[in-house]
Amino acid sequence: MSEVTKKVDARGSFCPGPLMELIKAVKGSQVGDVIEVLSSDAGSAKDIPEWVKKMGHEMVYSEKEGDYWKIAVRKMK
């Protein structure tokens, strides 16, 4: 498993809040960094992978942990 460089806890925030928090974190990161987002909004499990694919980054994992999602993204450019 890749080492998480930065964590964003967006639990309690509704779509598109978690995605916007991720975008902000990616912009402030270096290429190769892994950013993990915690989100209680089920829409994030669909929206974040779509954004990652569109932007050319890499999905590291997306898994449900109890009542929230853990989604990790590697910045590729």
Side-chain angles (χ1 to χ4, degrees):
M1 181 175 275
S2 297
E3 184 176 327
V4 173
T5 311
K6 190 179 284 187
K7 282 191 175 189
V8 176
D9 189 348
R11 289 177 286 185
S13 170
F14 297 98
C15 197
L19 177 58
M20 299 310 289
E21 290 291 323
L22 172 64
I23 292 170
K24 183 177 167 185
V26 168
K27 283 183 179 176
S29 298
Q30 304 288 321
V31 172
D33 284 353
V34 175
I35 299 101
E36 182 182 76
V37 180
L38 306 180
S39 175
S40 53
D41 187 315
S44 297
K46 180 177 177 233
D47 295 345
I48 290 176
E50 287 177 3
W51 177 82
V52 167
K53 183 176 178 182
K54 181 178 173 185
M55 299 306 292
H57 298 302
E58 177 189 338
M59 279 296 299
V60 178
Y61 56 83
S62 176
E63 51 195 45
K64 191 163 187 188
E65 290 269 328
D67 61 347
Y68 65 94
W69 290 86
K70 284 174 52 175
I71 304 166
V73 176
R74 183 184 321 277
K75 182 173 180 173
M76 298 304 286
K77 56 183 180 178

